[in-house]
Coordinates of all heavy atoms in Angstrom, one line a residue:
G242 N -9.9 -17.8 13.5 CA -11.2 -18.5 13.6 C -12.1 -18.3 12.4 O -13.3 -18.8 12.5
I243 N -11.7 -17.7 11.4 CA -12.5 -17.5 10.2 C -11.6 -17.7 8.9 O -10.5 -17.2 8.9 CB -13.2 -16.1 10.1 CG1 -14.2 -16.1 9.0 CG2 -12.2 -15.0 10.0 CD1 -15.5 -16.8 9.2
G244 N -12.1 -18.4 8.0 CA -11.4 -18.6 6.7 C -12.3 -18.9 5.6 O -13.5 -18.9 5.8
V245 N -11.8 -19.2 4.5 CA -12.6 -19.3 3.3 C -12.1 -20.6 2.4 O -11.0 -20.8 2.2 CB -12.4 -18.1 2.4 CG1 -13.0 -18.3 1.0 CG2 -13.1 -16.9 3.1
L246 N -13.2 -21.3 2.0 CA -12.9 -22.2 0.9 C -13.7 -21.7 -0.3 O -14.9 -21.5 -0.2 CB -13.5 -23.6 1.3 CG -13.5 -24.6 0.0 CD1 -12.0 -24.9 -0.4 CD2 -14.2 -25.9 0.3
Y247 N -13.0 -21.3 -1.3 CA -13.6 -21.1 -2.6 C -13.7 -22.4 -3.4 O -12.7 -23.1 -3.4 CB -12.8 -20.0 -3.4 CG -13.1 -20.1 -4.9 CD1 -14.3 -19.5 -5.4 CD2 -12.3 -20.9 -5.8 CE1 -14.6 -19.7 -6.8 CE2 -12.6 -21.0 -7.1 CZ -13.7 -20.4 -7.6 OH -14.1 -20.6 -8.9
A248 N -14.8 -22.7 -4.0 CA -14.8 -23.8 -4.9 C -15.8 -23.5 -6.0 O -16.8 -22.7 -5.8 CB -15.3 -25.1 -4.2
K249 N -15.6 -24.0 -7.2 CA -16.5 -23.8 -8.3 C -17.9 -24.3 -7.9 O -17.9 -25.4 -7.3 CB -16.0 -24.5 -9.6 CG -14.8 -23.8 -10.2 CD -14.3 -24.6 -11.4 CE -13.1 -23.9 -12.1 NZ -12.4 -24.7 -13.0
A250 N -18.9 -23.6 -8.3 CA -20.2 -23.9 -7.8 C -20.6 -25.4 -8.2 O -21.2 -26.1 -7.4 CB -21.3 -23.0 -8.4
A251 N -20.2 -25.8 -9.4 CA -20.6 -27.2 -9.9 C -20.0 -28.2 -8.9 O -20.6 -29.3 -8.7 CB -20.2 -27.4 -11.3
L252 N -18.8 -27.9 -8.5 CA -18.1 -28.9 -7.6 C -18.8 -28.9 -6.2 O -19.1 -30.0 -5.7 CB -16.6 -28.5 -7.4 CG -15.8 -28.7 -8.6 CD1 -14.4 -28.1 -8.4 CD2 -15.6 -30.2 -9.0
L253 N -19.1 -27.7 -5.7 CA -19.8 -27.7 -4.4 C -21.2 -28.4 -4.5 O -21.6 -29.1 -3.6 CB -20.0 -26.3 -4.0 CG -18.8 -25.5 -3.5 CD1 -19.2 -24.1 -3.1 CD2 -18.2 -26.2 -2.3
E254 N -21.9 -28.2 -5.6 CA -23.2 -28.9 -5.8 C -23.0 -30.4 -5.8 O -23.9 -31.1 -5.2 CB -23.8 -28.5 -7.2 CG -24.2 -27.0 -7.4 CD -25.4 -26.6 -6.6 OE1 -26.0 -27.4 -5.9 OE2 -25.8 -25.4 -6.8
A255 N -21.9 -30.9 -6.3 CA -21.8 -32.3 -6.4 C -21.2 -32.9 -5.1 O -21.2 -34.2 -5.0 CB -20.8 -32.6 -7.6
M256 N -20.7 -32.1 -4.2 CA -20.1 -32.6 -3.0 C -21.2 -32.8 -1.9 O -22.0 -32.0 -1.7 CB -19.0 -31.7 -2.5 CG -17.8 -31.7 -3.3 SD -16.8 -30.2 -3.2 CE -16.4 -30.1 -1.5
P257 N -21.1 -34.0 -1.2 CA -22.0 -34.1 0.0 C -21.6 -33.2 1.1 O -20.4 -32.8 1.2 CB -21.8 -35.6 0.4 CG -20.4 -35.9 -0.1 CD -20.1 -35.1 -1.3
P258 N -22.5 -32.9 2.0 CA -22.1 -32.1 3.2 C -21.0 -32.8 4.0 O -20.9 -34.1 3.9 CB -23.3 -32.0 4.1 CG -24.4 -32.6 3.2 CD -23.8 -33.3 2.1
W259 N -20.2 -32.1 4.7 CA -19.1 -32.7 5.4 C -19.5 -32.9 6.9 O -19.3 -33.9 7.5 CB -17.8 -31.7 5.4 CG -16.7 -32.2 6.1 CD1 -16.3 -33.5 6.3 CD2 -15.7 -31.4 6.8 NE1 -15.1 -33.6 7.0 CE2 -14.8 -32.3 7.4 CE3 -15.6 -30.1 7.1 CZ2 -13.7 -31.9 8.2 CZ3 -14.5 -29.6 7.8 CH2 -13.6 -30.5 8.4
Q260 N -20.1 -31.8 7.5 CA -20.6 -31.9 8.8 C -22.1 -31.7 8.8 O -22.6 -30.9 8.0 CB -19.9 -30.9 9.7 CG -18.4 -31.1 9.8 CD -17.8 -30.0 10.6 OE1 -18.2 -28.9 10.6 NE2 -16.6 -30.3 11.2
G261 N -22.8 -32.4 9.8 CA -24.3 -32.2 9.9 C -24.6 -31.4 11.1 O -23.9 -31.3 12.0
G262 N -25.8 -30.7 11.0 CA -26.2 -29.9 12.1 C -27.2 -28.8 11.7 O -27.8 -28.9 10.6
G263 N -27.3 -27.8 12.5 CA -28.2 -26.7 12.1 C -27.7 -25.9 10.9 O -26.5 -26.0 10.6
D264 N -28.6 -25.3 10.2 CA -28.3 -24.3 9.2 C -27.9 -25.0 7.9 O -28.0 -24.3 6.8 CB -27.1 -23.4 9.6 CG -27.5 -21.9 9.4 OD1 -28.8 -21.7 9.4 OD2 -26.7 -21.1 9.3
M265 N -27.4 -26.2 7.9 CA -27.0 -26.9 6.6 C -28.2 -27.7 6.0 O -28.0 -28.4 5.1 CB -25.7 -27.7 6.8 CG -25.7 -28.7 7.9 SD -26.7 -30.2 7.6 CE -25.8 -31.0 6.3
I266 N -29.4 -27.6 6.6 CA -30.5 -28.4 6.2 C -31.6 -27.5 5.7 O -31.7 -26.3 6.0 CB -31.1 -29.2 7.4 CG1 -31.4 -28.3 8.6 CG2 -30.1 -30.3 7.8 CD1 -32.7 -27.8 8.6
R267 N -32.5 -28.1 4.8 CA -33.7 -27.5 4.4 C -34.9 -28.0 5.2 O -35.7 -27.3 5.7 CB -33.9 -27.7 2.9 CG -34.5 -26.6 2.2 CD -34.5 -26.8 0.7 NE -33.6 -25.8 0.0 CZ -32.9 -26.1 -1.1 NH1 -33.0 -27.3 -1.6 NH2 -32.2 -25.1 -1.6
S268 N -34.8 -29.4 5.4 CA -35.9 -30.0 6.3 C -35.3 -31.3 6.8 O -34.4 -31.9 6.2 CB -37.1 -30.3 5.4 OG -36.8 -31.4 4.5
V269 N -35.8 -31.6 8.0 CA -35.3 -32.8 8.7 C -36.5 -33.6 9.2 O -37.4 -33.1 9.9 CB -34.4 -32.4 9.9 CG1 -33.9 -33.7 10.6 CG2 -33.2 -31.6 9.5
T270 N -36.5 -34.9 8.9 CA -37.4 -35.8 9.6 C -36.5 -37.0 10.0 O -35.3 -37.0 9.6 CB -38.5 -36.4 8.7 OG1 -37.9 -37.2 7.7 CG2 -39.3 -35.3 8.0
F271 N -37.0 -37.9 10.8 CA -36.1 -39.0 11.2 C -35.9 -39.9 10.0 O -34.9 -40.7 10.0 CB -36.8 -39.8 12.4 CG -36.7 -39.0 13.7 CD1 -37.8 -38.7 14.4 CD2 -35.4 -38.7 14.2 CE1 -37.7 -37.9 15.5 CE2 -35.3 -38.0 15.4 CZ -36.5 -37.6 16.0
E272 N -36.7 -39.8 9.0 CA -36.5 -40.7 7.9 C -35.5 -40.1 6.9 O -34.7 -40.8 6.3 CB -37.8 -40.9 7.1 CG -38.8 -41.8 7.8 CD -39.4 -41.2 9.1 OE1 -39.7 -40.0 9.0 OE2 -39.5 -41.9 10.1
K273 N -35.6 -38.8 6.7 CA -34.7 -38.2 5.7 C -34.5 -36.7 5.9 O -35.3 -36.0 6.4 CB -35.5 -38.3 4.3 CG -34.7 -37.8 3.1 CD -35.4 -38.2 1.8 CE -34.9 -37.4 0.7 NZ -33.4 -37.4 0.5
T274 N -33.3 -36.3 5.6 CA -32.9 -34.9 5.7 C -32.6 -34.3 4.3 O -31.9 -35.0 3.5 CB -31.7 -34.7 6.6 OG1 -32.1 -35.0 7.9 CG2 -31.1 -33.3 6.5
E275 N -33.2 -33.2 4.0 CA -32.9 -32.5 2.8 C -31.9 -31.4 3.1 O -32.1 -30.6 4.0 CB -34.2 -31.9 2.2 CG -34.1 -31.7 0.7 CD -35.4 -31.1 0.2 OE1 -36.5 -31.5 0.7 OE2 -35.3 -30.1 -0.5
Y276 N -30.8 -31.3 2.3 CA -29.8 -30.4 2.6 C -30.1 -29.0 2.0 O -30.8 -28.9 1.1 CB -28.4 -30.9 2.1 CG -28.1 -32.3 2.6 CD1 -27.7 -33.3 1.7 CD2 -28.1 -32.5 4.0 CE1 -27.4 -34.5 2.2 CE2 -27.8 -33.8 4.4 CZ -27.5 -34.8 3.5 OH -27.2 -36.1 4.0
N277 N -29.5 -28.0 2.7 CA -29.6 -26.6 2.2 C -28.9 -26.5 0.9 O -28.1 -27.3 0.4 CB -29.0 -25.7 3.3 CG -29.6 -24.3 3.3 OD1 -30.1 -23.9 2.3 ND2 -29.4 -23.6 4.4
A278 N -29.1 -25.3 0.2 CA -28.3 -25.0 -1.0 C -26.9 -24.7 -0.7 O -26.5 -24.4 0.5 CB -29.0 -23.8 -1.7
I279 N -26.0 -24.6 -1.7 CA -24.7 -24.1 -1.5 C -24.7 -22.6 -1.2 O -25.6 -22.0 -1.8 CB -23.7 -24.5 -2.7 CG1 -24.2 -23.7 -3.9 CG2 -23.7 -26.0 -2.9 CD1 -23.2 -23.7 -5.0
P280 N -23.8 -22.1 -0.4 CA -22.8 -22.7 0.3 C -23.2 -23.2 1.7 O -22.4 -23.8 2.4 CB -21.8 -21.5 0.5 CG -22.7 -20.3 0.6 CD -23.9 -20.6 -0.3
W281 N -24.4 -22.9 2.1 CA -24.8 -23.1 3.5 C -24.8 -24.6 3.8 O -24.7 -25.0 5.0 CB -26.2 -22.5 3.7 CG -26.2 -21.1 3.4 CD1 -25.6 -20.1 4.1 CD2 -26.7 -20.4 2.2 NE1 -25.7 -18.9 3.4 CE2 -26.4 -19.0 2.3 CE3 -27.4 -20.9 1.1 CZ2 -26.8 -18.1 1.3 CZ3 -27.8 -20.0 0.1 CH2 -27.5 -18.6 0.2
K282 N -24.9 -25.5 2.8 CA -24.8 -26.9 3.0 C -23.6 -27.3 3.7 O -23.5 -28.4 4.3 CB -24.9 -27.6 1.6 CG -24.8 -29.0 1.5 CD -25.1 -29.6 0.1 CE -23.9 -29.6 -0.8 NZ -24.1 -30.2 -2.1
F283 N -22.5 -26.4 3.6 CA -21.2 -26.8 4.2 C -21.0 -26.0 5.5 O -19.9 -26.0 6.0 CB -20.1 -26.5 3.2 CG -20.2 -27.4 2.0 CD1 -20.8 -26.9 0.8 CD2 -19.8 -28.7 2.1 CE1 -20.9 -27.8 -0.3 CE2 -19.9 -29.6 1.0 CZ -20.5 -29.1 -0.2
E284 N -22.0 -25.2 6.0 CA -21.8 -24.4 7.1 C -22.7 -24.9 8.3 O -23.7 -24.2 8.7 CB -22.0 -22.9 6.8 CG -21.0 -22.4 5.8 CD -21.2 -20.9 5.4 OE1 -22.1 -20.3 6.0 OE2 -20.4 -20.5 4.5
A285 N -22.4 -26.0 8.8 CA -23.2 -26.6 9.9 C -23.0 -25.8 11.2 O -21.8 -25.6 11.5 CB -22.9 -28.1 10.1
G286 N -24.1 -25.5 11.9 CA -23.9 -24.9 13.2 C -23.8 -23.4 13.1 O -23.6 -22.8 12.0
T287 N -23.8 -22.7 14.2 CA -23.7 -21.2 14.2 C -22.3 -20.8 13.8 O -21.3 -21.3 14.3 CB -23.9 -20.7 15.6 OG1 -25.3 -21.0 16.0 CG2 -23.7 -19.2 15.7
P288 N -22.2 -20.0 12.7 CA -20.8 -19.7 12.2 C -20.2 -18.6 13.0 O -20.8 -18.0 13.9 CB -21.1 -19.2 10.8 CG -22.5 -18.6 10.9 CD -23.2 -19.4 11.9
N289 N -18.9 -18.3 12.6 CA -18.2 -17.2 13.3 C -18.7 -15.9 12.6 O -18.0 -15.4 11.7 CB -16.7 -17.4 13.1 CG -15.9 -16.3 13.8 OD1 -16.4 -15.3 14.3 ND2 -14.6 -16.5 13.8
I290 N -19.8 -15.4 13.1 CA -20.4 -14.2 12.4 C -19.6 -13.0 12.5 O -19.3 -12.3 11.4 CB -21.8 -14.0 13.0 CG1 -22.7 -15.2 13.0 CG2 -22.6 -12.8 12.2 CD1 -23.9 -15.2 13.9
A291 N -19.1 -12.7 13.7 CA -18.3 -11.5 13.9 C -17.0 -11.6 13.1 O -16.5 -10.6 12.5 CB -18.0 -11.2 15.3
G292 N -16.5 -12.8 13.1 CA -15.2 -13.0 12.3 C -15.4 -12.8 10.8 O -14.5 -12.2 10.2
A293 N -16.5 -13.3 10.3 CA -16.7 -13.1 8.9 C -16.9 -11.6 8.5 O -16.3 -11.1 7.5 CB -18.0 -13.8 8.4
I294 N -17.6 -10.9 9.4 CA -17.8 -9.4 9.1 C -16.5 -8.7 9.2 O -16.1 -7.9 8.4 CB -18.8 -8.9 10.1 CG1 -20.2 -9.5 9.8 CG2 -18.9 -7.4 10.0 CD1 -21.2 -9.3 10.9
A295 N -15.7 -9.1 10.2 CA -14.4 -8.4 10.4 C -13.4 -8.8 9.3 O -12.6 -8.0 8.9 CB -13.8 -8.8 11.8
L296 N -13.5 -10.0 8.8 CA -12.7 -10.4 7.6 C -13.1 -9.5 6.4 O -12.2 -9.1 5.7 CB -12.9 -11.9 7.3 CG -12.2 -12.4 6.0 CD1 -10.7 -12.1 6.0 CD2 -12.4 -13.9 5.8
G297 N -14.4 -9.2 6.3 CA -14.8 -8.3 5.2 C -14.1 -7.0 5.4 O -13.6 -6.3 4.4
A298 N -14.0 -6.5 6.6 CA -13.4 -5.2 6.9 C -11.9 -5.3 6.6 O -11.3 -4.3 6.1 CB -13.6 -4.8 8.4
A299 N -11.3 -6.4 6.8 CA -9.8 -6.6 6.5 C -9.6 -6.5 5.0 O -8.7 -5.8 4.5 CB -9.3 -7.9 7.0
L300 N -10.5 -7.1 4.2 CA -10.3 -7.1 2.8 C -10.6 -5.7 2.3 O -10.0 -5.2 1.3 CB -11.2 -8.1 2.1 CG -10.9 -9.6 2.6 CD1 -11.7 -10.6 1.7 CD2 -9.4 -9.9 2.5
D301 N -11.6 -5.0 2.9 CA -11.8 -3.5 2.5 C -10.5 -2.8 2.7 O -10.1 -1.9 1.9 CB -12.9 -2.9 3.4 CG -14.3 -3.3 3.0 OD1 -14.4 -3.7 1.8 OD2 -15.2 -3.1 3.8
Y302 N -9.8 -3.0 3.9 CA -8.6 -2.3 4.2 C -7.5 -2.6 3.1 O -6.9 -1.6 2.6 CB -8.1 -2.8 5.6 CG -6.9 -2.0 6.0 CD1 -7.0 -0.8 6.7 CD2 -5.6 -2.5 5.7 CE1 -5.9 0.0 7.0 CE2 -4.5 -1.8 6.1 CZ -4.6 -0.5 6.7 OH -3.5 0.2 7.0
V303 N -7.3 -3.8 2.8 CA -6.3 -4.2 1.8 C -6.7 -3.5 0.5 O -5.8 -3.0 -0.2 CB -6.2 -5.7 1.7 CG1 -5.4 -6.1 0.5 CG2 -5.6 -6.3 3.0
D304 N -7.9 -3.6 0.1 CA -8.4 -3.1 -1.2 C -8.2 -1.6 -1.3 O -7.8 -1.0 -2.3 CB -9.9 -3.3 -1.3 CG -10.2 -4.4 -2.3 OD1 -9.3 -4.8 -3.0 OD2 -11.3 -4.9 -2.3
A305 N -8.4 -0.9 -0.1 CA -8.2 0.6 -0.1 C -6.8 1.0 -0.4 O -6.5 2.0 -1.0 CB -8.7 1.1 1.2

Side-chain angles (χ1 to χ4, degrees):
I243 187 76
V245 168
L246 171 67
Y247 157 80
K249 287 179 178 166
L252 292 171
L253 287 178
E254 294 285 6
M256 286 158 58
W259 179 38
Q260 295 176 333
D264 234 24
M265 52 72 73
I266 54 90
R267 218 170 243 145
S268 70
V269 179
T270 66
F271 287 120
E272 287 70 40
K273 183 173 165 51
T274 288
E275 203 183 313
Y276 305 128
N277 207 338
I279 65 165
W281 305 287
K282 178 170 87 173
F283 297 100
E284 294 179 5
T287 299
N289 182 352
I290 305 162
I294 294 167
L296 173 56
L300 300 186
D301 280 344
Y302 183 85
V303 169
D304 256 346

